[in-house]
Amino acid sequence: MLQFETVVATGSPALDSGIGDTALKTFNGDTYLYSVTGPFGGVAAWRLTEGAGPKLVDTVYHSGPILYQVGRTGVPITLGAEDQLALDINNATGLVGYTLNADGTFGDLQETGTLVGGGDISAMAQLDVGGQSYLTLAHEDTDQIGSYEINPDGTLSVVSLVSGQADSMRAATVGSEQFVITANAANSEIAVFDVSASDGSLSALDNSAAVSTMGISTPTAIEVVEAYGQSWVIVAGSGSNSLSVMGLRSDGRLIPKDHVLDTLNTRFESVQDLSVIEVNGRVFIVAGGSDDGVSLFTLTPNGKLVYLDSFADTLDSGLGNVQTLNLAHIGDELQVLATSQQDPGLTQLSVSLANLGVVLDGSGPVTGTAHDDMLSAGVLDAQLSGGDGDDILIAGSGETTLTGGAGADIFVMQYGSDPTTVADFEAGTDRLDMFDYLLLRTPDQLTFTATSQGADIQYLNEVVHVISSTGTPLTKEEVFGSGFGGPDHIPVDFGTFGGLEPSSSDGIQGRVSIDSETNNPGLADAEIKFTPTGGGTVTATTDETGRFDLNVPNGTLVGELEVVKTYSTASGRVNALDALQVLRISVGLDPTWGPAAPENLIAADITQDGAVNALDALSILQAAVGQTSPYPAKWVFLDAEADLSGITRDAVNYDTQLDITVQDGSFAMDMTSILLGNIESF
């Protein structure tokens, strides 16, 4: 898929070696790539055309005061009516950059008026808020990030300064909200700043808990893309050899979605740069670093990275220790433009998009085209048919049948789904991608059973039925070859995997409200399980504030809800007095405060066998003193309007599955929260 095309160079070592940054800019329908070298270097402009290598259109050598002070960063910006390639100049007082002409060539070197933080800029981003343009700059000398209003004459007026450091910076839009996302390699920090709709000022948002779960070390690049109806943040981690995907919500929250590590099959070890592009509804990502090559991915509608291809450096390609990457959509091809830390010039790879198809998701029959489609099943049962072309078919949480048709298809499995069937696997051509399965690294971990028509593949009590295109048995080697290709996927939400419980934390005894749009006190570190009628179970783990995202499609879904939450022994809520109260109830006495309410009887029946007896008292005592018990204390959640009048000491019957309607992914309802083993007055 990745095809080497050419290496181009200006012929000047000062411009071809040590390229520190590249950037794209479009003028009058033509796309130009600008490359930047540091002190004693300069800048070069290249025009990109379909079916040919980049064409050099202009060069400028640094001179004068900036010759010794210029960095290796260049970012295209617009100041008033003038386009510039802004530079990082040590000891400058204002923002310095070369004017960019409409034919892609360079004009004069310009400097704005004095900036509060000076002109030593490590990262920058431009954005529009309410029709007004702003420039956000990371000032290296002051460790501040400044927001500047761009005046009609191209001058800059400071709006706000906040503490922060950044090596990479991107602006992001979510609905009507604006954000600036930054990455800093020195302290492995990913930060989100809210941009005020009234004046463009910045305020930091706390995403430390979400980012800490990703295991990102030394983030060297960050990209933002809008696709599939939402915004995504993608981070390259050099120290962790990783690529990470997070969803960005309208309140500025980052939601971890995927985290992949480089392997022997991929080419992004010590990743230095990445580039992201959306083309006709499809998202492509390319990444590279010290692995002497690049790897190509696509993004699924639920935020997962699907590996497509890697290209390893050759004697001709100039990809030793990749430094910069850009993706450009030129005609019917995707052009990958890369520079190297050790090889001079600019390397061009290409990916044909001539057969790019559609992106569809849904339930029931979902049919693709004769092109390269991406089809996704959702929470309801689905039958995906790719047709001709090299398709990507993604199983949902419901029962899914995947039919690829002709072409080299990729079948992507989902753990925790109802039975999945691949109806026409073509050995040696198609690929079965099982990256969603917890800690699965090699086909040797699978239970592989050949059948008369293909094979059954079992892992963690789940089975994928694979039917061969020839209707004959399949071997493990025919399905997986010598092993899995692509990166290792590291789970970002362990609560979705069987046998693993979410972390324990305090809850709230009694009436609670649950709302998918807000914080939910008492639901921290819980699992929210939603099973739509005619579909598979969707599981979401709440954060420390009780927030969660079911990640279901828009529309009306009717089904059952269940909340699972473990007991935190640190709270000390279950104690010996609880055991005494249960012992009184078990022999027909009232608790010490008076008659037991139905909620007391539910809490007393910690064994959940339908009756309050001495075994409950013993199990509660074991929980109180920290002993292991087959009946641990835990929280149960009931419909707040449920009729509990029929509950007695000998008939403790209740339902923890609630009938709900989810509208456009949201719902709200009142519940009764009860800690089994904690006997107190209701």
Side-chain angles (χ1 to χ4, degrees):
M1 179 175 283
L2 281 166
Q3 177 69 42
F4 170 67
E5 298 294 345
T6 187
V7 175
V8 296
T10 67
S12 169
L15 302 178
D16 295 331
S17 297
I19 296 174
D21 202 3
T22 55
L24 298 174
K25 179 73 175 178
T26 299
F27 292 106
N28 301 319
D30 288 327
T31 300
Y32 297 86
L33 182 134
Y34 297 95
S35 58
V36 182
T37 55
F40 301 96
V43 293
W46 306 82
R47 186 172 69 247
L48 306 181
T49 57
E50 184 177 8
K55 180 181 178 181
L56 183 67
V57 296
D58 198 11
T59 61
V60 173
Y61 293 90
H62 301 315
S63 61
I66 75 168
L67 180 61
Y68 307 96
Q69 304 295 331
V70 65
R72 301 168 68 210
T73 300
V75 179
I77 60 173
T78 301
L79 299 180
E82 187 174 80
D83 292 299
Q84 287 190 12
L85 183 68
L87 305 174
D88 167 24
I89 308 295
N90 190 24
N91 294 334
T93 59
L95 184 62
V96 178
Y98 291 105
T99 301
L100 297 178
N101 301 318
D103 61 357
T105 60
F106 297 105
D108 296 333
L109 189 68
Q110 303 286 338
E111 183 174 8
T112 67
T114 301
L115 299 176
V116 176
D120 192 0
I121 309 298
S122 58
M124 66 187 80
Q126 188 167 357
L127 66 159
D128 291 330
V129 180
Q132 173 61 50
S133 290
Y134 294 89
L135 194 62
T136 304
L137 305 175
H139 295 288
E140 200 160 1
D141 290 338
T142 62
D143 290 340
Q144 291 180 311
I145 296 176
S147 176
Y148 293 84
E149 182 178 338
I150 302 176
N151 301 313
D153 62 358
T155 59
L156 301 175
S157 299
V158 64
V159 174
S160 68
L161 291 168
V162 296
S163 178
Q165 300 171 309
D167 303 310
S168 183
M169 179 185 296
R170 293 292 183 268
T173 301
V174 185
S176 61
E177 303 299 321
Q178 299 275 1
F179 303 95
V180 170
I181 321 295
T182 66
N184 185 53
N187 58 14
S188 292
E189 182 180 59
I190 309 296
V192 179
F193 296 89
D194 178 69
V195 182
S196 170
S198 60
D199 63 2
S201 59
L202 303 177
S203 56
L205 303 175
D206 184 11
N207 273 286
S208 55
V211 174
S212 65
T213 66
M214 303 292 283
I216 303 171
S217 175
T218 320
T220 46
I222 190 167
E223 291 287 351
V224 172
V225 64
E226 292 183 49
Y228 316 126
Q230 57 186 303
S231 293
W232 307 95
V233 177
I234 304 173
V235 182
S238 175
S240 48
N241 304 312
S242 65
L243 300 175
S244 303
V245 181
M246 293 175 279
L248 178 63
R249 298 293 181 258
S250 59
D251 58 1
R253 287 185 300 142
L254 293 173
I255 310 298
K257 291 295 183 178
D258 202 5
H259 184 74
V260 302
L261 304 182
D262 178 65
T263 66
L264 293 175
N265 302 299
T266 55
R267 292 281 170 171
F268 60 94
E269 182 181 4
S270 301
V271 55
Q272 292 301 303
D273 202 12
L274 64 86
S275 186
V276 179
I277 193 170
E278 182 270 329
V279 180
N280 297 336
R282 184 79 63 87
V283 176
F284 297 95
I285 302 101
V286 66
S290 67
D291 232 355
D292 298 345
V294 297
S295 290
L296 180 69
F297 300 83
T298 190
L299 186 71
T300 71
N302 64 349
K304 303 293 186 180
L305 292 171
V306 175
Y307 173 70
L308 297 178
D309 195 17
S310 287
F311 182 87
D313 190 25
T314 68
L315 293 176
D316 299 321
S317 61
L319 291 175
N321 291 341
V322 171
Q323 175 67 29
T324 73
L325 285 165
N326 285 101
L327 281 174
H329 178 205
I330 309 296
D332 279 338
E333 63 186 18
L334 195 64
Q335 292 189 3
V336 181
L337 293 312
T339 67
S340 164
Q341 297 178 28
Q342 65 187 46
D343 298 316
L346 180 69
T347 297
Q348 181 194 59
L349 307 175
S350 70
V351 178
S352 175
L353 300 180
N355 205 43
L356 191 64
V358 298
V359 177
L360 297 175
D361 64 85
S363 58
V366 180
T367 304
T369 68
H371 302 292
D372 303 338
D373 305 312
M374 177 186 286
L375 309 181
S376 302
V379 298
L380 302 179
D381 297 348
Q383 304 84 43
L384 308 184
S385 299
D388 292 343
D390 299 338
D391 305 308
I392 299 174
L393 290 83
I394 306 168
S397 56
E399 184 174 345
T400 311
T401 300
L402 312 175
T403 305
D409 304 311
I410 301 175
F411 300 100
V412 181
M413 301 297 102
Q414 176 172 305
Y415 183 75
S417 66
D418 282 351
T420 300
T421 300
V422 177
D424 63 341
F425 186 85
E426 186 176 354
T429 301
D430 295 337
R431 174 156 62 93
L432 187 64
D433 194 326
M434 302 184 70
F435 68 72
D436 199 49
Y437 286 67
L438 175 65
L439 303 180
L440 181 59
R441 298 291 179 266
T442 169
D444 292 337
Q445 296 173 255
L446 301 169
T447 300
F448 191 99
T449 305
T451 65
S452 61
Q453 292 184 301
D456 286 344
I457 303 172
Q458 183 175 357
Y459 184 72
L460 295 178
N461 298 320
E462 292 204 4
V463 178
V464 176
H465 304 290
V466 181
I467 300 172
S468 70
S469 59
T470 58
T472 56
L474 289 167
T475 67
K476 185 186 296 185
E477 290 71 25
E478 287 176 316
V479 176
F480 297 111
S482 59
F484 297 144
D488 284 339
H489 288 251
I490 305 302
V492 296
D493 183 0
F494 281 88
T496 62
F497 296 101
L500 296 177
E501 294 182 339
S503 301
S504 61
S505 61
D506 278 350
I508 296 175
Q509 187 97 314
R511 193 180 183 93
V512 297
S513 295
I514 178 171
D515 191 327
S516 60
E517 298 293 315
T518 65
N519 295 348
N520 294 284
L523 263 68
D525 303 312
E527 280 185 1
I528 311 297
K529 296 185 176 182
F530 172 59
T531 306
T533 303
T537 300
V538 177
T539 302
T541 302
T542 66
D543 63 17
E544 70 278 3
T545 69
R547 298 196 71 135
F548 62 93
D549 182 2
L550 280 180
N551 197 26
V552 296
N554 289 339
T556 302
L557 292 172
V558 177
E560 292 185 333
L561 180 80
E562 183 174 15
V563 180
V564 178
K565 181 175 171 60
T566 58
Y567 165 62
S568 173
T569 56
S571 68
R573 291 191 178 203
V574 178
N575 52 48
L577 181 57
D578 291 310
L580 175 61
Q581 302 287 12
V582 172
L583 194 59
R584 291 175 60 91
I585 295 172
S586 70
V587 297
L589 299 176
D590 289 334
T592 55
W593 62 78
E599 292 85 356
N600 300 135
L601 298 176
I602 292 172
D605 183 23
I606 193 173
T607 63
Q608 294 185 283
D609 63 357
V612 180
N613 51 47
L615 179 58
D616 291 306
L618 175 61
S619 298
I620 291 172
L621 187 60
Q622 288 175 319
V625 298
Q627 288 186 359
T628 301
S629 168
Y631 308 106
K634 65 179 181 180
W635 295 88
V636 296
F637 295 83
L638 317 178
D639 188 337
E641 305 303 321
D643 182 6
L644 305 180
S645 60
I647 291 180
T648 66
R649 174 171 62 93
D650 297 317
V652 186
N653 301 311
Y654 54 92
D655 192 357
T656 59
Q657 294 184 324
L658 292 71
D659 294 330
I660 66 165
T661 299
V662 177
Q663 183 67 45
D664 294 335
S666 302
F667 70 92
M669 66 183 308
D670 292 327
M671 307 181 78
T672 300
S673 174
I674 301 173
L675 175 58
L676 300 186
N678 181 211
I679 317 304
E680 60 184 43
S681 180
F682 275 77

